[in-house]
Amino acid sequence: MSDHHHHSNGSGLSDKDLFETRCLSQYLQSKIPTNYDSLKQSLRDATDKKNSSKIQTSLQNLTYYKVEKDILDTLLSIISMTDDKKILKLAYYFLVEISAYRTQINNSAEIKNMITIFTKEMNHKDISRKVVSLKTTAMLAPNDSLVDSNIMEVISGILRKVGEDPDKVQKKKGFFSKVSDLGRERALLQYACFVACRNRFKNNPSLFMPIVEGIKCTDQVGARHAVQLTLDYAKENVSTVAATIKRFLPLLKANKGKEAVALIDPFARRSFIALCGLIAKQSSPADSKDFFQNICQSVMDSHTAVWCCAINTLCKFPWKTLESGTIEPISTTDNDTPSYYDPIGNVTPLLVGISNRIKTGFAVHISSHATQQSVPFTHMACKLINSLSQSYVKHQYPKDAAQNPQVGVWTELEKSDPKMPVHPFAGLTAAVTSLLQISPNISIRVQALRALVWLCPSSLCPAARAFFDIFKAQLYEPGHPILLFRELFGELYKRIVETPILSPFLLQLVYDWIDIVPHKVDTSLVRQIWETILNFGLEGRERVLQNCFSVMDRSIHPDFRVVSLEILKDIVFFLGDYANVITYENQNNSTTLAVTDNQALNSIILRLEQYAIFHPWQIRMTAIDALAKIAFLSSSAVRIHIYHFLTTSPNDSHGWTSVKSNNSTIINIIDQLLTLRSKWLPLLKTINPTQKKELINDHNSLTLQIGMFFDSPPTDYYPIGIETKQLVI
């Protein structure tokens, strides 16, 4: 847009600039007769004349704009001279807005003025003015030693003040914790101090003790900020915090919970759980035991968000620790100290407690008609079940000598059906499965399926098959997007990495995915699953090849012909990359295997040759590339066969013309491979330095040419043969 389209507004800024930098609402601003600069001027004039109604009108109109630092002095003047609550509210609102420019406030007169007003406000008899001034100045004032010392002095004064008991009988030094009118004012000031600390003085050692004591603050929000500040401090100094707040734990036997804190605010309780989690993970076993127990007890908290937070924190601990954890039944024994708990009766194992808690939660939050309110809870509950079950599965599944999940022989396991221990969260399966029937919400379905993946038993028993039947049923749901299947198969992929035994079920499900909804298949994920199962020994390789062939041989519905060809192309590409891995065939063992002995490789090559002749040109192109990769990596006999096929295949059809150039490049490389191998093999025993140099050049040249066909060629690749290894390294 050229400049003449912009109309100046008298401030040297075009309308476009104004909209981007100042105006918060073009529509609302159009209702005001004056622009930003004249509003600012009228505010200054009204302040000079001390005209309250005009000050208020100007401030109200300014709310439609993004204000700038240049009205700071005017605002400070307004605060110093007025007692009108509405005007003060607006003035402080704008000071918070201007705090975005705090780094630009470097004028000593402005800073001095700020401190003067702050000091004056802190001596005001109105408690709310003190609170707002303290919070705002901590945000607004620049990092200046004079300002810091002033604010710090005020905070220390409030937090360490000599207080009076409400009955005015006894003087005592300490922190505010009693509720009364006087106590309420103190609690508010204390809250303001904690907010100021969070905005300005995080982790300041001189304020550490009063902040920790602030966890007992009677103002709920004040306590919340105090806990959060303590949590920040603990991230840098765990042991100090652990030693200081240990006495606040309700179940601590040593002090009978005399100083135990009953946090009323759910946010504060959640932060306190996070704090206990941090200490329990990082401090000495003696310390961590009590803090860990406190998290276990929080599983029985009455507030949903709090007990979910407690279980979430427990997910970070190893399974062995969770297995041995307990929840103590407690009753409040003394009304004067409601935070002092006395354990009664039998303890509940932690895992049983967690399972019951989630089950009760489902009963409360799920009805047969899923309502919107249940979504956040069910989402969270499924995630917790997923984390806990994952931890259990990883711990319980047998490991080999290198501590990797044991692969085993699937055919034997299928027959023997070993008895597996009962999954500790098996009781939640029905509730999670019911979400698939009643919740129309896709994200809930995704989380429910991800939880079910880990609730499935780690064996090829009928119970595990039932889970895979549930997953298969999802493929028939017409409304499911590809995202849901990506999430489900991504989670199943993680599962077989941890429990290879379930691979046969997953391969069957992959076949169903491609067969039932080919247009919703993510072939890169399928490839990833196949690549992983290839690492599970001979049987893994056989099953993957069987899976590929089953997919290729299935009958295709005419509606899905195009998308099925795309999938076929991806499978052909995969076979080209992995045929030699699947069939243990490579050119290094050329002396031990005659080509006729490797039936699996023969069947792959025959299929690829078929696709190279009888399919559309895109698949021909991929099939020829795949044959080339096999030839480059295989023994001479295989190379000769593929060379012979590529040079004699019918090339007069329309589809062949598009692959001709690619074909000739491949023929040329295979020709070189065969020629150079026959040239060098007889010479290798008596080779002179000049010949050695020539051999290395031939090796590098071939590797470079072949590298065009591989994303990453094998690192120990010797195109002329393994015999050249000692000469070309």
Side-chain angles (χ1 to χ4, degrees):
M1 195 188 275
S2 59
D3 285 343
H4 67 266
H5 282 282
H6 291 154
H7 305 290
S8 175
N9 55 22
S11 64
L13 285 171
S14 67
D15 285 344
K16 183 168 180 286
D17 293 336
L18 226 172
F19 181 71
E20 285 170 0
T21 58
R22 293 229 187 100
C23 181
L24 290 178
S25 163
Q26 210 169 27
Y27 168 73
L28 289 173
Q29 186 221 320
S30 69
K31 302 289 174 198
I32 308 168
T34 50
N35 66 19
Y36 178 75
D37 286 311
S38 51
L39 268 176
K40 203 164 59 177
Q41 193 52 51
S42 63
L43 178 66
R44 283 202 185 111
D45 296 344
T47 308
D48 292 342
K49 292 173 184 161
K50 303 191 176 180
N51 183 332
S52 287
S53 62
K54 276 198 172 169
I55 290 175
Q56 189 174 338
T57 310
S58 302
L59 285 171
Q60 280 169 337
N61 287 339
L62 269 176
T63 55
Y64 301 131
Y65 292 92
K66 191 170 188 292
V67 293
E68 288 174 2
K69 180 177 91 70
D70 54 2
I71 65 163
L72 175 62
D73 282 336
T74 315
L75 292 170
L76 291 172
S77 307
I78 292 168
I79 290 168
S80 71
M81 70 188 195
T82 186
D83 280 329
D84 186 307
K85 283 277 169 70
K86 285 182 178 170
I87 293 176
L88 281 168
K89 211 178 214 175
L90 284 163
Y92 273 112
Y93 162 76
F94 284 119
L95 283 181
V96 173
E97 291 288 297
I98 294 171
S99 66
Y101 302 102
R102 68 182 282 183
T103 50
Q104 296 169 27
I105 302 172
N106 45 23
N107 178 335
S108 60
E110 282 178 334
I111 292 172
K112 216 168 190 177
N113 195 5
M114 218 180 281
I115 295 172
T116 309
I117 303 295
F118 173 64
T119 311
K120 188 177 171 187
E121 288 287 276
M122 293 317 292
N123 291 324
H124 202 285
K125 64 179 187 302
D126 185 342
I127 199 83
S128 60
R129 287 186 73 157
K130 289 183 178 182
V131 168
V132 176
S133 179
L134 180 53
K135 282 161 58 179
T136 310
T137 312
M139 276 177 78
L140 171 70
N143 293 334
D144 177 275
S145 55
L146 187 63
V147 183
D148 284 350
S149 63
N150 256 280
I151 299 177
M152 192 82 111
E153 199 177 321
V154 168
I155 290 175
S156 297
I158 293 170
L159 293 180
R160 299 181 181 282
K161 204 174 198 172
V162 175
E164 290 179 5
D165 267 354
D167 55 13
K168 305 246 172 46
V169 174
Q170 180 195 358
K171 295 259 185 187
K172 66 165 188 167
K173 185 176 172 59
F175 304 95
F176 314 138
S177 57
K178 297 283 185 204
V179 182
S180 68
D181 290 342
L182 184 63
R184 180 73 194 142
E185 290 189 356
R186 290 172 175 173
L188 276 171
L189 281 172
Q190 203 175 7
Y191 147 74
C193 290
F194 297 140
V195 177
C197 288
R198 280 191 75 179
N199 287 332
R200 196 178 187 92
F201 302 115
K202 270 189 183 173
N203 301 346
N204 186 307
S206 66
L207 294 171
F208 172 63
M209 275 315 291
I211 282 167
V212 169
E213 291 292 338
I215 294 175
K216 300 197 291 193
C217 176
T218 50
D219 179 80
Q220 296 182 30
V221 186
R224 180 195 303 177
H225 287 285
V227 177
Q228 193 60 46
L229 277 160
T230 311
L231 178 57
D232 288 330
Y233 201 94
K235 286 170 187 167
E236 291 185 10
N237 202 332
V238 177
S239 53
T240 311
V241 175
T244 317
I245 70 162
K246 198 168 184 179
R247 64 185 192 281
F248 293 167
L249 300 175
L251 276 172
L252 194 65
K253 310 285 188 297
N255 66 2
K256 275 293 187 190
K258 287 192 187 84
E259 281 195 80
V261 174
L263 293 164
I264 302 162
D265 180 59
F267 286 102
R269 299 212 291 280
R270 282 156 68 179
S271 295
F272 195 75
I273 289 168
L275 178 59
C276 291
L278 183 75
I279 295 169
K281 287 283 280 182
Q282 294 186 15
S283 57
S284 66
D287 270 349
S288 68
K289 187 166 163 282
D290 291 315
F291 287 101
F292 178 75
Q293 189 57 43
N294 196 58
I295 308 168
C296 296
Q297 295 303 127
S298 301
V299 170
M300 304 316 291
D301 196 289
S302 56
H303 194 283
T304 306
V306 178
W307 65 255
C308 281
C309 172
I311 298 174
N312 193 30
T313 308
L314 289 168
C315 290
K316 300 181 176 74
F317 288 86
W319 184 257
K320 265 194 148 83
T321 313
L322 300 185
E323 225 169 17
S324 56
T326 56
I327 299 172
E328 300 197 7
I330 48 180
S331 69
T332 48
T333 53
D334 180 348
N335 291 336
D336 291 333
T337 54
S339 313
Y340 157 40
Y341 297 123
D342 211 9
I344 50 155
N346 298 324
V347 297
T348 310
L350 176 61
L351 297 173
V352 175
I354 291 174
S355 189
N356 291 343
R357 200 73 241 235
I358 297 176
K359 199 181 279 182
T360 314
F362 273 130
V364 172
H365 289 273
I366 300 177
S367 61
S368 53
H369 307 289
T371 55
Q372 199 57 38
Q373 285 76 10
S374 71
V375 168
F377 170 76
T378 43
H379 207 276
M380 182 67 181
C382 289
K383 283 191 158 185
L384 292 174
I385 295 167
N386 178 323
S387 293
L388 289 162
S389 302
Q390 205 169 137
S391 179
Y392 164 71
V393 165
K394 288 179 183 177
H395 171 77
Q396 176 266 335
Y397 193 79
K399 309 283 187 294
D400 61 18
Q403 286 308 298
N404 295 320
Q406 215 171 61
V407 175
V409 181
W410 300 326
T411 40
E412 286 175 15
L413 287 163
E414 274 173 331
K415 286 175 205 152
S416 62
D417 188 17
K419 289 280 168 282
M420 304 299 282
V422 177
H423 195 302
F425 301 108
L428 298 169
T429 309
V432 178
T433 313
S434 72
L435 291 175
L436 299 174
Q437 272 81 54
I438 63 171
S439 176
N441 184 313
I442 287 294
S443 74
I444 292 289
R445 285 177 169 243
V446 166
Q447 295 306 333
L449 287 167
R450 289 180 63 190
L452 287 171
V453 166
W454 294 97
L455 284 168
C456 177
S458 300
S459 82
L460 295 171
C461 61
R465 188 177 293 282
F467 278 85
F468 280 83
D469 289 342
I470 292 170
F471 302 145
K472 184 176 176 178
Q474 298 303 305
L475 298 168
Y476 290 102
E477 293 272 353
H480 284 346
I482 187 169
L483 165 88
L484 180 135
F485 299 125
R486 271 202 200 114
E487 290 282 339
L488 170 59
F489 280 88
E491 202 69 25
L492 284 163
Y493 166 73
K494 286 188 213 162
R495 178 72 204 252
I496 57 150
V497 169
E498 299 300 335
T499 60
I501 180 66
L502 292 173
S503 300
F505 283 171
L506 178 53
L507 288 173
Q508 180 57 49
L509 201 59
V510 165
Y511 173 86
D512 293 329
W513 190 17
I514 297 172
D515 187 44
I516 297 165
V517 279
H519 55 298
K520 293 181 182 176
V521 171
D522 180 347
T523 44
S524 63
L525 184 51
V526 170
R527 184 186 166 107
Q528 205 177 352
I529 290 167
W530 282 339
E531 285 169 6
T532 303
I533 298 176
L534 286 179
N535 297 321
F536 299 157
L538 175 62
E539 195 170 357
R541 294 166 191 235
E542 285 176 358
R543 297 273 183 136
V544 169
L545 188 57
Q546 196 181 340
N547 201 217
C548 290
F549 285 176
S550 304
V551 171
M552 290 167 146
D553 295 343
R554 77 196 197 287
S555 59
I556 292 165
H557 191 282
D559 289 358
F560 294 139
R561 187 172 175 277
V562 175
V563 73
S564 293
L565 284 174
E566 280 298 311
I567 292 170
L568 179 61
K569 193 174 86 174
D570 289 329
I571 296 175
V572 167
F573 194 85
F574 171 80
L575 286 175
D577 280 350
Y578 286 98
N580 292 69
V581 175
I582 293 170
T583 60
Y584 292 96
E585 165 74 28
N586 61 42
Q587 47 94 32
N588 296 347
N589 63 12
S590 52
T591 50
T592 58
L593 260 185
V595 68
T596 48
D597 292 345
N598 200 334
Q599 294 297 332
L601 187 66
N602 290 352
S603 57
I604 293 173
I605 291 171
L606 283 170
R607 276 173 184 267
L608 293 176
E609 288 173 351
Q610 180 194 338
Y611 294 137
I613 298 174
F614 300 114
H615 266 82
W617 70 268
Q618 299 95 321
I619 292 189
R620 292 182 172 199
M621 187 75 107
T622 314
I624 287 169
D625 268 9
L627 284 166
K629 288 175 183 175
I630 293 170
F632 299 154
L633 293 170
S634 300
S635 59
S636 295
V638 176
R639 285 177 185 168
I640 290 165
H641 171 79
I642 291 173
Y643 177 75
H644 180 70
F645 169 76
L646 293 176
T647 46
T648 57
S649 53
N651 57 11
D652 50 354
S653 70
H654 168 67
W656 199 257
T657 50
S658 51
V659 298
K660 262 185 180 163
S661 59
N662 206 27
N663 194 33
S664 57
T665 310
I666 294 163
I667 289 170
N668 174 26
I669 297 173
I670 299 177
D671 191 35
Q672 287 181 65
L673 281 165
L674 294 166
T675 312
L676 288 167
R677 183 172 167 81
S678 58
K679 171 190 167 185
W680 285 108
L681 280 185
L683 304 174
L684 288 179
K685 290 204 170 58
T686 56
I687 198 164
N688 63 40
T690 321
Q691 287 174 313
K692 183 179 175 183
K693 198 172 181 184
E694 194 187 332
L695 171 64
I696 290 170
N697 287 343
D698 282 344
H699 168 83
N700 292 342
S701 154
L702 281 171
T703 309
L704 197 65
Q705 289 178 62
I706 287 163
M708 292 192 308
F709 290 85
F710 288 98
D711 290 334
S712 50
T715 46
D716 57 347
Y717 182 56
Y718 304 104
I720 299 168
I722 191 71
E723 303 88 339
T724 61
K725 183 177 175 180
Q726 68 274 29
L727 297 163
V728 295
I729 271 179

